[in-house]
Amino acid sequence: MAYFDIKDFGAVTDGKTLATKAIQKAIDTCHEQGGGTVYFGAGTYYSGTIILKSHVCLYLDAGSTLLGSSELKDYQEIYPSYHSFIDKQTHCALVFAENQVNISLQGTGTIDGNGGHANFQTHKDNDPNRPFCIRFVKCQGIRVQDLVLKNSAQWLQHYQACQDVQVRGIRVFNHCNENNDGIDIDGCKNVTLSDCLIVCYYDAICLKSSGPAVCENVVVSNCVLSSHCNGIKLGTETTGGFRNIRVSNCLLKVSDTGGDHTNGLPF
């Protein structure tokens, strides 16, 4: 499988120089050549919105961090064709995909949304000017595995109207802003979520149906969930409804906000 190191496309690792264009060029080239792995080596890559495309895996190696820009102007405004009750609050994200197949985020590195920056401390409920870390819409064949995900300005992960989603072994710390959900599965079909540690301010795992698609065939297992709100929640939006949901062997605890716990248990 083809392999594309983002440093070869001009990305630098100082955590200050915007690497968006270099990362996107690596993704586009990988996609155009039939797919493969876009590689993030050790270092901090500062970026605005990047668009993930079919048959591309973003692999963040140990010691690497994809750090979201602190400037709203670096995030694209994107309005997908799939419409839902939450359209007004979901138009910007650090990593975005729509209508793509076979996409993945893997590795033992970190995606840091930089959501605690003063520019994102708007103190408004579901403020559209606070970017998501990850937002995938109407995609099929998604795999998210082993990463550390933290500090989103909004919900950390939002999978909407997607099919065949696997999320496994991730560590989440999302305690820097309002509405800091850990993961939102919204109108998706055939989802497995397992072996995750999620520590967050708001809903740890939130199943939704904010548009016409039913949230169905979802299995959640073997997770440690820590929250000040709900460990596992169905709703608030329930437009399309729910079908075939199974949750087993999960531990729920009140969240400890004393520090970043992505390298260990939160209690």
Side-chain angles (χ1 to χ4, degrees):
M1 183 173 288
Y3 177 92
F4 303 84
D5 189 327
I6 61 172
K7 292 179 183 177
D8 294 337
F9 293 81
V12 297
T13 62
D14 61 4
K16 299 176 182 178
T17 304
L18 205 62
T20 313
K21 290 183 179 179
I23 298 170
Q24 192 61 57
K25 181 63 175 177
I27 292 171
D28 293 346
T29 302
C30 181
H31 170 71
E32 290 163 4
Q33 294 188 16
T37 298
V38 172
Y39 177 78
F40 292 69
T44 299
Y45 305 88
Y46 186 68
S47 181
T49 299
I50 55 177
I51 309 297
L52 192 54
K53 297 185 177 180
S54 293
H55 310 297
V56 176
C57 168
L58 298 190
Y59 189 90
L60 281 72
D61 210 346
S64 70
T65 298
L66 174 60
L67 177 64
S69 170
S70 61
E71 301 295 330
L72 186 61
K73 63 181 177 60
D74 294 328
Y75 296 87
Q76 296 182 38
E77 290 192 17
I78 302 173
Y79 299 92
S81 59
Y82 182 85
H83 295 294
S84 72
F85 181 78
I86 58 175
D87 282 353
K88 292 182 179 180
Q89 71 189 61
T90 57
H91 64 255
C92 58
L94 177 57
V95 184
F96 179 82
E98 180 183 11
N99 293 319
Q100 303 302 304
V101 299
N102 186 26
I103 56 177
S104 63
L105 304 171
Q106 297 188 50
T108 55
T110 299
I111 298 178
D112 185 334
N114 203 13
H117 192 278
N119 289 347
F120 299 130
Q121 298 297 310
T122 64
H123 305 293
K124 297 179 181 178
D125 191 39
N126 289 321
D127 189 340
N129 293 319
R130 291 190 281 116
F132 292 69
C133 264
I134 300 166
R135 186 160 189 264
F136 294 162
V137 183
K138 293 199 73 176
C139 295
Q140 185 169 355
I142 297 167
R143 185 175 181 182
V144 180
Q145 185 171 336
D146 298 332
L147 293 166
V148 171
L149 306 174
K150 64 182 184 180
N151 301 334
S152 181
Q154 182 59 271
W155 304 345
L156 203 149
Q157 307 165 79
H158 184 213
Y159 305 98
Q160 186 176 44
C162 296
Q163 293 190 39
D164 303 325
V165 180
Q166 298 180 42
V167 180
R168 186 175 69 187
I170 61 171
R171 288 171 290 160
V172 171
F173 186 82
N174 205 26
H175 254 296
C176 66
N177 216 311
E178 307 290 330
N179 307 104
N180 267 171
D181 286 9
I183 181 170
D184 290 78
I185 304 296
D186 183 352
C188 294
K189 182 177 181 179
N190 301 336
V191 179
T192 58
L193 173 60
S194 66
D195 307 297
C196 298
L197 168 63
I198 300 178
V199 182
C200 62
Y201 174 80
Y202 212 59
D203 303 328
I205 296 175
C206 188
L207 307 183
K208 293 179 175 289
S209 181
S210 64
V214 179
C215 189
E216 61 181 329
N217 303 342
V218 179
V219 174
V220 179
S221 62
N222 303 332
C223 293
V224 178
L225 308 171
S226 187
S227 168
H228 281 318
C229 188
N230 301 293
I232 299 174
K233 177 184 175 184
L234 277 71
T236 298
E237 296 81 22
T238 59
T239 304
F242 302 91
R243 184 163 51 227
N244 299 336
I245 311 294
R246 176 170 291 184
V247 179
S248 65
N249 199 36
C250 291
L251 176 63
L252 279 63
K253 295 283 286 186
V254 174
S255 187
D256 173 9
T257 58
D260 182 339
H261 304 289
T262 49
N263 291 316
L265 290 175
F267 33 80

